[in-house]
Amino acid sequence: MAGRADSTVLAGARVVLPTGTVENGRVIIEGTRITEGPAEGARTIDLTGHWVVPGFVDMHNHGGGGASFTSGTVDEVLTGVRTHREHGTTTLVASTVTGEMDFLAERAGILSELVEQGDLAGIHFEGPFISPCRKGAHSETLLRHPDPAEVRKLMDAARGTAKMVTLATELPGGIESVRLLAEHGVIAAIGHTDATYEQTVEAIDAGATVATHLFNAMPPFAHRDPGPIAALLEDERITVELINDGTHLHPAALELAYHHAGAARVALITDAMDAAGFGDGQYQLGPLAVEVKDGVARLVEGNSIAGSTLTLDTAFRRAVTLDRIPVEDVVRSISANPARLLGVYDKVGSLDPGKDADLVVLDADFALKGVMHKGEWVIEPELG
């Protein structure tokens, strides 16, 4: 761990910019920002043989480091944030899981303070407005229809920090709730849904713009009943979330999504729960008991997958080395695309001058070697 790099030049690396990869490139940091020219006497760090990419942006994350964003104290939430930051996620949205409305409103108040302090980039409500047919690791007894008045209650409790709400838009009130969210600049995400193809198209036309962890917690594709997957992949207004942990998706499903949606419409997420960066054991996801074994989280009752233990450095490395996705496309999916969706691309998501000095250093094998957040090394590369 190290302190602030007031004037630093990262030299010699392959630097991934929005325009492509620059060989033997350099990134110049002045204080908390990336700049075009260094002050006299800047420290130079030779990163020959490494990659420098933008800090990762995770728009769907329930916790890590043993801490839950749904139920943890402020200190525990910050532990989760630090855990993911050490794995390259420099911008993070806290996701909740299904709970009582009053409890979720209370949590929104707590999390919104951390957004206002700059520790979080926003709040994502995953549930309770989801389908009991596709509930996954959500308590069925606490599910409810997406009544616009109740959706508005959560938005109000978040005090302007709500970034996304996942809905089963085919349920009563679903389309009206999508319109409400769109009108207030909150992402309406289609997920945990049993919708038909036609119902999904209707929700997209109403203003939905994200598919919550595509393929998971929704009907599978069938040739006479294509369901939501076909509608979400084909529509250029939709960004599809993908969990690239080797458990949630077969590699062919990931390739299919990249092929049909294109890199500009993919957001790699973790959907992480408490065990991310922490280890196997017994956990709680909302009111439900979870067992993590060999890095896979499943409900104790029913054995459903219960989020992931993924960190985005692993998702990045898998995408490049195992799935053979071009580095530039992975950077778009893991940084630029979610930053744009969250409305923070003017500050993060690329290595353009003027933006926050949020970046990740990877070695030639795409293993994480360094993380910088707002000009301060979270993990400083150990070179030579």
Side-chain angles (χ1 to χ4, degrees):
M1 306 292 280
R4 184 172 302 285
D6 287 323
S7 188
T8 302
V9 179
L10 307 180
R14 291 177 170 177
V15 178
V16 182
L17 301 174
T19 52
T21 298
V22 177
E23 301 285 344
N24 193 27
R26 64 178 190 167
V27 179
I28 304 164
I29 297 102
E30 188 72 37
T32 64
R33 301 293 182 98
I34 298 168
T35 186
E36 293 195 43
E40 187 176 345
R43 176 193 180 202
T44 297
I45 300 176
D46 183 3
L47 292 178
T48 300
H50 291 71
W51 294 81
V52 177
V53 301
F56 307 146
V57 180
D58 194 353
M59 56 188 282
H60 187 157
N61 187 313
H62 298 277
S68 167
F69 297 150
T70 297
S71 58
T73 64
V74 168
D75 285 344
E76 287 170 341
V77 172
L78 291 175
T79 294
V81 171
R82 284 192 297 270
T83 297
H84 284 282
R85 193 170 291 169
E86 289 168 358
H87 289 273
T89 298
T90 51
T91 302
L92 184 149
V93 170
S95 302
T96 63
V97 297
T98 294
E100 295 284 0
M101 286 296 296
D102 288 344
F103 173 77
L104 290 175
E106 178 185 356
R107 291 302 301 174
I110 294 169
L111 294 172
S112 65
E113 293 182 7
L114 295 176
V115 178
E116 291 160 1
Q117 291 173 193
D119 297 299
L120 296 170
I123 303 170
H124 163 218
F125 296 101
E126 187 181 20
F129 312 116
I130 60 177
S131 171
C133 302
R134 305 287 173 179
K135 64 182 185 298
H138 292 255
S139 174
E140 185 168 355
T141 61
L142 297 175
L143 300 182
R144 54 211 302 130
H145 291 159
D147 180 345
E150 295 201 321
V151 173
R152 183 62 186 261
K153 177 180 178 179
L154 293 185
M155 289 169 55
D156 289 345
R159 302 200 302 265
T161 66
K163 289 292 186 179
M164 184 162 66
V165 179
T166 293
L167 307 160
T169 53
E170 76 277 8
L171 296 176
I175 297 300
E176 293 81 3
S177 292
V178 168
R179 293 194 181 106
L180 172 70
L181 292 166
E183 287 169 3
H184 287 83
V186 179
I187 297 166
I190 300 172
H192 288 275
T193 177
D194 204 40
T196 64
Y197 174 90
E198 292 75 16
Q199 288 171 327
T200 306
V201 170
E202 183 184 10
I204 297 169
D205 288 340
T209 55
V210 166
T212 295
H213 44 53
L214 185 74
F215 300 111
N216 297 114
M218 59 183 62
F221 178 88
H223 64 291
R224 292 192 184 94
D225 183 15
I229 292 173
L232 294 165
L233 279 177
E234 73 183 8
D235 199 302
E236 294 185 357
R237 294 169 290 182
I238 292 291
T239 297
V240 298
E241 294 183 345
L242 299 175
I243 308 170
N244 191 24
D245 62 350
T247 297
H248 280 79
L249 296 176
H250 189 283
L254 187 88
E255 182 182 359
L256 180 75
Y258 265 96
H259 177 75
H260 285 279
R265 290 179 44 222
V266 171
L268 293 177
I269 62 162
T270 61
D271 193 17
M273 47 81 71
D274 313 18
F278 201 67
D280 290 357
Q282 303 291 321
Y283 296 87
Q284 288 290 128
L285 188 60
L288 303 177
V290 174
E291 181 179 12
V292 178
K293 185 177 180 180
D294 298 327
V296 178
R298 293 186 180 275
L299 292 182
V300 172
E301 293 188 13
N303 206 38
S304 292
I305 295 176
S308 85
T309 61
L310 184 64
T311 53
L312 282 181
D313 58 329
T314 297
F316 190 109
R317 192 176 190 185
R318 282 186 60 89
V320 174
T321 62
L322 297 178
D323 303 306
R324 303 298 180 183
I325 299 169
V327 175
E328 295 82 1
D329 288 350
V330 178
V331 167
R332 293 178 76 180
S333 303
I334 212 165
S335 299
N337 296 346
R340 285 195 179 95
L341 282 166
L342 296 172
V344 295
Y345 188 66
D346 60 324
K347 298 177 182 177
V348 299
S350 75
L351 298 176
D352 290 318
K355 293 194 176 184
D356 290 347
D358 288 2
L359 55 86
V360 175
V361 178
L362 306 167
D363 69 13
D365 297 319
F366 300 98
L368 184 143
K369 293 299 179 181
V371 180
M372 179 179 282
H373 178 245
K374 293 187 177 179
E376 185 173 344
W377 287 113
V378 179
I379 298 174
E380 184 166 3
E382 295 183 6
L383 305 172

